[in-house]
Amino acid sequence: MSFSREIVSALVLGVIALLVGIPTGTTGWALFIGSLLWIALQVLEFRKLSRWSGQPLTTPPNASPSWYNVSITPYRLLQRERGRSRRFLARMREVLGLVEVIPDAVIIMTPSGEIENFNAAASDLLNLNHDDLGLTLASVVRNPHFVAMLREEADDTLIEFTSPLDSDKTLEARLFHVEGGRIVVIVRDISELNRLLTMRQSFVANVSHELRTPLTVVAGYLEIIVDEQQDADLRLGLVNKLTSPLARIRSLVEDLLLLSRLESTPMPAQLDPISMHAMIQSAVNEVNGIAHSPEQISVHCTSTQTVPGLEQELYSVCVNLLSNAIRYSPEGTPVKVSWEEVEPGLSRLSVEDGGVGIAPEHISRITERFYRVDMADARTRGGTGLGLAIVKHVLRRHDSELKVESTLGEGSTFFCEFRSPEAHPVQAIL
Ligand code: ADP
């Protein structure tokens, strides 16, 4: 259709030339001028096309359909490609944004090992900055293990090395080859993971150690008890002696189970108000069994504040703090347990003893599982080494924390504070 229009325009010009040329006897000239006019029109269209080709993203300007058709097809192709590029760029920005927020360092290198790009975490973990772009990663991070990994370029190799910024931190690096020959290095901080692994290992070692001693005693006694050649009185006497190591194993297992329950069970949404007076009194009654005299523990409960919580857990806090106060105090030293209001809506539970006290360097560690200030002394004083770890967990679940004031040789006060629920500001959704 458009092609025929071009022919029509040529024919119209020819006819006009003939109409002008025949009567005047200048047909040749008229046809010549007509042709020149037609060529001029085409040159004009061609120039529009050639100007447009410098900016092919604008709409083609050709008025003549055949010339217009020459430009509209590449123009549409270009528009489609432009849309695709836009979508691709948006996706790239999204991916780069994600890479930017991940806590692991991501470094992209050229096939020859120069740094091409990196995220914010790479600056934090490896101290990379924009001046390092274009340098080789091995020349910026000079750790020998890291450099060896970069040199070997083996895919998915995992290495650990010390942070170049903080010698207490351990980093883990991994290398990948990606499309286009580029190399991606991912580095993450594994100090916390290592610390947890070490904690787990030492916890398992501690549990085994704590259980081994009473189990060895039980096994030794049992060997004699089942030996019929042994004296009957001796064997009967040993049966009674089994009670103490078995009680120790039982309290260890109970404390371990309680700790694991505290860590794995969430607090119920609805909590009963616990009367601290009654609870403290029953804890005192229980601990009086190990007290040096019934008068050793004095009770001072002046606050009437109740604590929303789990009675059994709060009871274990009182029993643990009171039994520690007795076990780490010389005979006859008074122990005082108080429940007092320190300010309106805030009451303090405290257990004060005049015992051995704790040196400042140990205070931050006494709530660690199985940590004892004096390991040798632990055997004679009893206890599982888990008491304060349990107290710490229970208090955390009850929005409180354990605090200690202690002077070596003079005694300690362990205390925690509970805010009354009514004292919390009321929040309302309007
Ligand atoms: P244990 O069963 O060994 O008493 P805990 O977790 O209850 O374990 O206490 C950890 C360590 O803290 C104890 O081994 C002891 O060294 C120290 N400790 C706890 N309470 C007192 C206290 N009232 N006076 C002095 N030292 C204490």
Side-chain angles (χ1 to χ4, degrees), residues 48-358:
K48 279 185 192 168
L49 181 69
S50 113
R51 261 203 307 276
W52 169 82
S53 70
Q55 290 171 306
L57 290 173
T58 53
T59 331
N62 292 90
S64 148
S66 48
W67 285 104
Y68 181 75
N69 279 350
V70 172
S71 49
I72 192 67
T73 315
Y75 171 73
R76 282 193 186 129
L77 274 172
L78 272 169
Q79 285 295 348
R80 205 161 51 224
E81 283 311 311
R82 199 183 183 197
R84 256 190 224 153
S85 306
R86 276 208 193 110
R87 284 195 296 278
F88 178 73
L89 271 174
R91 191 94 191 93
M92 274 295 284
R93 263 187 222 117
E94 234 175 78
V95 173
L96 283 175
L98 288 176
V99 171
E100 210 43 39
V101 295
I102 62 168
D104 297 349
V106 180
I107 305 123
I108 300 166
M109 298 192 298
T110 60
S112 48
E114 286 101 29
I115 304 169
E116 195 177 84
N117 212 338
F118 57 83
N119 65 352
S123 310
D124 298 342
L125 289 179
L126 301 170
N127 205 19
L128 293 189
N129 61 57
H130 279 278
D131 295 341
D132 298 326
L133 289 172
L135 301 178
T136 60
L137 187 55
S139 69
V140 181
V141 182
R142 296 224 176 110
N143 181 282
H145 298 287
F146 190 70
V147 172
M149 177 193 77
L150 294 175
R151 200 170 299 137
E152 276 171 31
E153 282 194 11
D155 248 342
D156 223 2
T157 340
L158 206 68
I159 60 137
E160 275 185 29
F161 65 105
T162 309
S163 157
L165 295 176
D166 182 350
S167 56
D168 288 339
K169 279 191 178 169
T170 309
L171 305 180
E172 181 191 83
R174 215 178 249 252
L175 180 146
F176 302 94
H177 284 90
V178 288
E179 254 184 313
R182 285 197 175 81
I183 302 161
V184 174
V185 174
I186 295 179
V187 180
R188 64 184 183 131
D189 185 351
I190 53 161
S191 322
E192 184 58 14
L193 191 73
N194 277 356
R195 196 184 64 79
L196 290 174
L197 280 177
T198 317
M199 252 175 72
R200 197 178 66 178
Q201 278 161 0
S202 73
F203 177 70
V204 172
N206 278 329
V207 172
S208 322
H209 177 78
E210 294 286 334
L211 283 172
R212 197 181 307 124
T213 317
L215 278 173
T216 313
V217 176
V218 171
Y221 287 167
L222 282 176
E223 234 172 73
I224 303 172
I225 291 167
V226 295
D227 184 354
E228 288 176 4
Q229 315 236 309
Q230 297 285 347
D231 177 63
D233 286 343
L234 171 79
R235 288 163 66 198
L236 205 63
L238 287 184
V239 172
N240 290 333
K241 281 194 168 179
L242 283 177
T243 326
S244 154
L246 284 177
R248 180 157 178 72
I249 294 172
R250 207 178 86 173
S251 54
L252 240 168
V253 172
E254 275 173 357
D255 277 0
L256 283 170
L257 287 176
L258 175 58
L259 254 180
S260 113
R261 238 193 348 265
L262 290 174
E263 280 177 337
S264 57
T265 343
M267 285 290 271
Q270 211 60 43
L271 293 167
D272 292 332
I274 310 296
S275 154
M276 294 297 274
H277 286 216
M279 201 207 43
I280 290 170
Q281 197 49 59
S282 48
V284 170
N285 293 343
E286 180 175 330
V287 176
N288 261 334
I290 59 158
H292 301 295
S293 71
E295 295 79 38
Q296 190 180 7
I297 308 176
S298 60
V299 184
H300 295 261
C301 289
T302 51
S303 168
T304 52
Q305 189 185 312
T306 55
V307 174
L310 297 174
E311 183 157 12
Q312 229 188 336
E313 293 187 8
L314 291 172
Y315 180 75
S316 81
V317 169
C318 288
V319 170
N320 273 307
L321 293 181
L322 281 167
S323 70
N324 279 355
I326 291 167
R327 284 188 296 114
Y328 296 102
S329 298
E331 211 175 314
T333 325
V335 169
K336 181 176 158 190
V337 52
S338 325
W339 175 240
E340 292 162 325
E341 192 171 57
V342 281
E343 61 180 67
L346 184 76
S347 292
R348 176 185 293 171
L349 169 72
S350 63
V351 176
E352 187 183 339
D353 67 56
V356 295
I358 308 160

Side-chain angles (χ1 to χ4, degrees), residues 320-321 324-325 327-328 353 356-358 366 368 371-374 378 382-389 412 414:
N320 273 307
L321 293 181
N324 279 355
R327 284 188 296 114
Y328 296 102
D353 67 56
V356 295
I358 308 160
I366 53 173
E368 284 176 22
Y371 186 83
R372 271 101 169 204
V373 172
D374 185 345
T384 57
L386 297 171
L388 291 184
S412 319
F414 286 77

